Amino acid sequence: MELRKSKSIESVKMKRKINKIIRYTVLIAVAVIMLYPMFWLIGASFKSNAEIFTSVSLFPKKIDFAPYIEGWKTKTEYTFGTYFMNTFQIVIPKVIFSLISSLLTAYGFARFDFKFKKILFSLLMATLFLPQVVTRIPLYILWRQLGFLDTYIPLIANTLFAQEPFFVYMLIQFLRSIPIDLDEAATIDGCNSFQILTKILLPTLKPAIMSCIIFQFVWSMNDFMGPLIYISSVEKYPVAIALKMSIDNSSGIVQWNQIIAMSIISILPSIILYFSAQKYFVEGTTSSGIKG
Amino acid sequence: MKGRKGYLYLLPWLMGLVLFTIYPFISSLVLSFTNYDLINPAKFVGFQNYIHLFTQDEVFLKSLFATLKYTVLTVPLQLAFALFIAFILNFKLKGIKLFRSAYYLPSILGGNVAIAILWRFIFRPDGLINQVLGLFGIEKVAWFSTPATAMAVIVFLKIWQFGSSMLIFLAALQEIPRDLYEAAEIDGATKIRTFFTVTIPLLTPTIFFNLIMQLVNAFQEFNGPYLITQGGPLQSTYLSSMFIYDYAFKYYQMGYSSAASWVLFVVILLVTAVLFMTSSKWVYYADEGGK
């Protein structure tokens, strides 16, 4: 009897072990398949053009920084330095404006009771699902009539008005989880509603704020269609459009290693941010759960 | 807190809602009944744009069909894969966080032009994918030369970005009370049975949410086809958003393009409406006592 029992325990243990091995195998296989192209790309950016198309190896035969140096110069009269500066001129205001405007809106929704609140909240949720494709053309015509084509204004303006429902919704969710007693105590102490937001709620909202900042940063860095439609002069191009131009321009011999090197440089800020602030990415996605 | 002060905080958003959503929304509907080329004044043409789209414009119908195909291929596959990986990650294993961040990275970078370039590059005839296939003795595939394989390339890109759906699934899985599983085990249910009778029903609200989000995204996909396949070959990957973009910003036919965008919008609306209407049949909400 005793023997049998220990045997069955053994077999359960064995089964668990096998289970574990299967799971790890799947996880590792999926990770390798998914990330191999990206790692290979990093290696490829140091390879010669000939080696790229003959070797599946991650590692270049010899490390050559020439693709980076040549790629950075570009075939235009500007370097990638200019394109990066342009990108940041779009991204930084967007991050700041959307944070402030979304915070005010979320605060209004989460902490006040007023007429039509339910209707307004449903409108907010509706815009979350509204396909951008229907509003794009009239907005273009509007900015054209106002004379703002080929400026960064059309790309930034909507962030001044909290027009990214994802952030508003995420902040509302976070605000709702903060006990209202805090506000009430502060009111008794003589804080007005704005002071409650800045002095009491803001410090507790830090994780949500971090999530807003990093998501807006990454999405704005990724934005391609916005600048594609609105920015027409090369000197104002952000990195996304400059990269696209590099694959269009390369008639004749395509310097793939240079294009790849610049592609890597262009996603580097987002990757660094991702690995240093991962926690906030995960929290942001799961708390309100959108975008992909 | 009571009071009208709430409006004050909502004021910027409300102004923006009118300016950036409600006005352009109505305006594009109005535009869709006109011919407007940005130079000459808009001319009212009634339903002519819509009639032309559906009766004369084969390219439009083809693009609409390609969009449906793309959506039907990507959304279920991506969600199934996201759920599968989330399910494995939900077991207490060491190094989960590492895997989680690895899987999530493509979603973060997803829309970047650099990723589109990477994709275009590795699916070249002499690119990495074919080199790897060669190692297994598989003949080279001319990915961009046939409609089916070109579609596959942009579908792969979308599925590759399953990370954010996966994270949402994972968070939902972690909320499922452990005693439910224990009860199922005592009742003698197998693991697979437990998955389909306990896990899946409890996940339906999350599945529903992910489904809607991914559908709305997939119907509007632009970067993949525009940058990678350029709509080809034979316009087999010429998705609706590319059609709309071309007519608006290449040919400056704002009215015609608006009409096309409204057709796409109505398609999205219909699909989501059907899902919402049927949701009471298959989405389980615990606080309603369940069904």
Side-chain angles (χ1 to χ4, degrees):
Chain A
M1 193 65 190
E2 273 298 294
L3 195 81
R4 233 207 227 153
K5 205 172 178 185
S6 75
K7 237 186 184 170
S8 78
I9 288 170
E10 282 283 280
S11 85
V12 166
K13 266 188 182 165
M14 192 66 193
K15 225 176 147 188
R16 280 208 181 133
K17 210 171 182 183
I18 291 169
N19 238 322
K20 219 175 190 178
I21 291 169
I22 292 172
R23 280 192 200 110
Y24 273 119
T25 317
V26 174
L27 289 178
I28 291 168
V30 172
V32 167
I33 292 169
M34 282 182 68
L35 296 183
Y36 195 88
M38 292 192 70
F39 285 114
W40 180 79
L41 199 71
I42 296 171
S45 68
F46 294 103
K47 288 176 182 173
S48 73
N49 242 344
E51 196 189 341
I52 286 175
F53 295 111
T54 48
S55 155
V56 294
S57 164
L58 285 179
F59 307 102
K61 282 184 191 123
K62 79 181 214 294
I63 288 190
D64 184 3
F65 282 97
Y68 282 89
I69 295 159
E70 292 304 312
W72 185 264
K73 283 183 197 153
T74 77
K75 288 198 180 101
T76 64
E77 53 191 305
Y78 308 98
T79 65
F80 259 88
T82 309
Y83 302 133
F84 264 105
M85 286 311 290
N86 292 342
T87 304
F88 290 130
Q89 277 181 47
I90 301 167
V91 172
I92 292 169
K94 274 181 95 164
V95 169
I96 296 169
F97 294 157
S98 72
L99 181 64
I100 295 170
S101 63
S102 306
L103 200 59
L104 291 176
T105 312
Y107 182 53
F109 271 119
R111 285 298 201 250
F112 293 89
D113 273 320
F114 44 83
K115 254 188 180 175
F116 308 123
K117 182 173 159 179
K118 273 209 167 132
I119 297 172
L120 288 175
F121 188 72
S122 345
L123 271 173
L124 176 78
M125 295 310 287
T127 55
L128 198 61
F129 293 99
L130 182 81
Q132 298 292 314
V133 71
V134 270
T135 55
R136 205 167 279 135
I137 293 167
L139 283 175
Y140 175 82
I141 296 170
L142 177 77
W143 291 120
R144 188 173 174 273
Q145 279 161 351
L146 293 173
F148 287 132
L149 291 191
D150 206 20
T151 69
Y152 299 145
I153 291 169
L155 304 176
I156 298 168
N158 70 332
T159 57
L160 272 173
F161 298 93
Q163 289 305 298
E164 276 143 328
F166 170 76
F167 297 122
V168 179
Y169 181 58
M170 181 165 83
L171 288 166
I172 291 175
Q173 297 291 84
F174 270 90
L175 275 168
R176 279 180 179 158
S177 68
I178 301 173
I180 198 123
D181 314 7
L182 278 178
D183 304 35
E184 281 159 5
T187 315
I188 293 163
D189 289 347
C191 282
N192 64 33
S193 68
F194 188 70
Q195 286 168 326
I196 291 175
L197 176 63
T198 53
K199 291 190 180 150
I200 313 291
L201 297 175
L202 218 53
T204 22
L205 272 177
K206 201 186 142 210
I209 289 170
M210 285 299 290
S211 296
C212 286
I213 292 174
I214 56 179
F215 270 111
Q216 181 63 280
F217 180 85
V218 171
W219 290 343
S220 307
M221 290 290 290
N222 287 351
D223 184 27
F224 171 65
M225 193 158 200
L228 181 70
I229 291 172
Y230 288 108
I231 309 299
S232 47
S233 32
V234 179
E235 80 220 47
K236 291 178 190 164
Y237 276 179
V239 172
I241 304 293
L243 267 182
K244 197 236 160 207
M245 192 175 52
S246 72
I247 43 174
D248 291 342
N249 266 359
S250 312
S251 45
I253 304 161
V254 182
Q255 297 296 333
W256 275 106
N257 52 5
Q258 291 178 23
I259 293 170
I260 291 168
M262 286 309 104
S263 298
I264 289 169
I265 294 277
S266 79
I267 50 175
L268 211 55
S270 299
I271 290 183
I272 292 170
L273 190 67
Y274 174 68
F275 283 110
S276 49
Q278 237 186 90
K279 198 179 118 207
Y280 300 110
F281 277 104
V282 174
E283 276 173 14
T285 309
T286 50
S287 67
S288 42
I290 325 184
K291 201 85 181 180
Chain B
M1 245 176 279
K2 295 263 171 200
R4 297 208 185 105
K5 250 187 187 168
Y7 290 119
L8 209 63
Y9 288 101
L10 293 195
L11 199 62
W13 171 74
L14 264 174
M15 283 164 49
L17 186 71
V18 174
L19 187 68
F20 294 102
T21 305
I22 297 172
Y23 156 73
F25 186 69
I26 296 166
S27 171
S28 78
L29 183 63
V30 174
L31 264 174
S32 74
F33 295 105
T34 66
N35 275 344
Y36 182 46
D37 60 2
L38 291 176
I39 297 158
N40 301 300
K43 204 176 110 212
F44 183 75
V45 294
F47 279 94
Q48 205 194 305
N49 286 332
Y50 289 97
I51 294 167
H52 192 271
L53 278 172
F54 281 106
T55 58
Q56 313 274 313
D57 200 334
E58 270 176 44
V59 177
F60 174 72
L61 292 176
K62 211 173 170 185
S63 80
L64 203 57
F65 185 68
T67 310
L68 282 173
K69 198 164 141 191
Y70 174 80
T71 308
V72 169
L73 284 171
T74 52
V75 176
L77 278 174
Q78 198 206 44
L79 290 188
F81 198 58
L83 182 58
F84 171 65
I85 296 292
F87 188 68
I88 298 181
L89 281 179
N90 193 33
F91 291 91
K92 286 194 179 100
L93 298 172
K94 270 181 200 157
I96 285 293
K97 280 193 176 161
L98 195 74
F99 286 112
R100 194 179 63 184
S101 28
Y103 297 149
Y104 190 38
L105 183 64
S107 300
I108 295 289
L109 300 174
N112 200 295
V113 178
I115 298 299
I117 290 177
L118 159 67
W119 229 247
R120 220 168 118 165
F121 181 64
I122 61 173
F123 281 98
R124 283 167 54 101
D126 50 1
L128 177 69
I129 300 291
N130 275 344
Q131 289 178 40
V132 172
L133 290 178
L135 295 180
F136 295 99
I138 300 168
E139 254 182 68
K140 277 184 181 175
V141 180
W143 292 98
F144 298 120
S145 311
T146 67
T149 49
M151 181 62 91
V153 170
I154 55 171
V155 168
F156 286 151
L157 176 60
K158 196 72 176 180
I159 296 171
W160 187 61
Q161 296 157 17
F162 69 91
S164 54
S165 309
M166 176 206 73
L167 277 185
I168 299 168
F169 278 135
L170 190 57
L173 279 171
Q174 283 164 352
E175 303 245 304
I176 296 176
R178 285 221 68 82
D179 42 329
L180 280 180
Y181 290 118
E182 279 156 19
E185 209 178 321
I186 291 165
D187 288 348
T190 60
K191 283 256 164 67
I192 293 168
R193 212 183 132 75
T194 313
F195 180 75
F196 284 105
T197 54
V198 178
T199 315
I200 291 280
L202 286 173
L203 278 183
T204 46
T206 317
I207 295 173
F208 182 65
F209 179 82
N210 274 337
L211 186 63
I212 301 278
M213 272 343 272
Q214 295 304 332
L215 274 175
V216 175
N217 278 339
F219 272 116
Q220 298 184 81
E221 175 63 27
F222 177 78
N223 285 16
Y226 182 83
L227 289 163
I228 300 167
T229 57
Q230 289 146 323
L234 304 169
Q235 289 170 321
S236 56
T237 57
Y238 192 60
L239 302 192
S240 295
S241 62
M242 263 184 93
F243 180 93
I244 294 162
Y245 171 84
D246 280 349
Y247 271 89
F249 303 110
K250 251 188 187 165
Y251 315 135
Y252 296 105
Q253 296 189 26
M254 297 300 175
Y256 195 62
S257 179
S258 296
S261 76
W262 267 82
V263 173
L264 181 63
F265 173 63
V266 170
V267 170
I268 299 175
L269 201 66
L270 283 177
V271 172
T272 45
V274 167
L275 283 172
F276 267 102
M277 280 188 297
T278 58
S279 69
S280 61
K281 296 228 163 48
W282 62 275
V283 179
Y284 174 92
Y285 290 106
D287 49 351
E288 285 170 11
K291 279 210 171 167

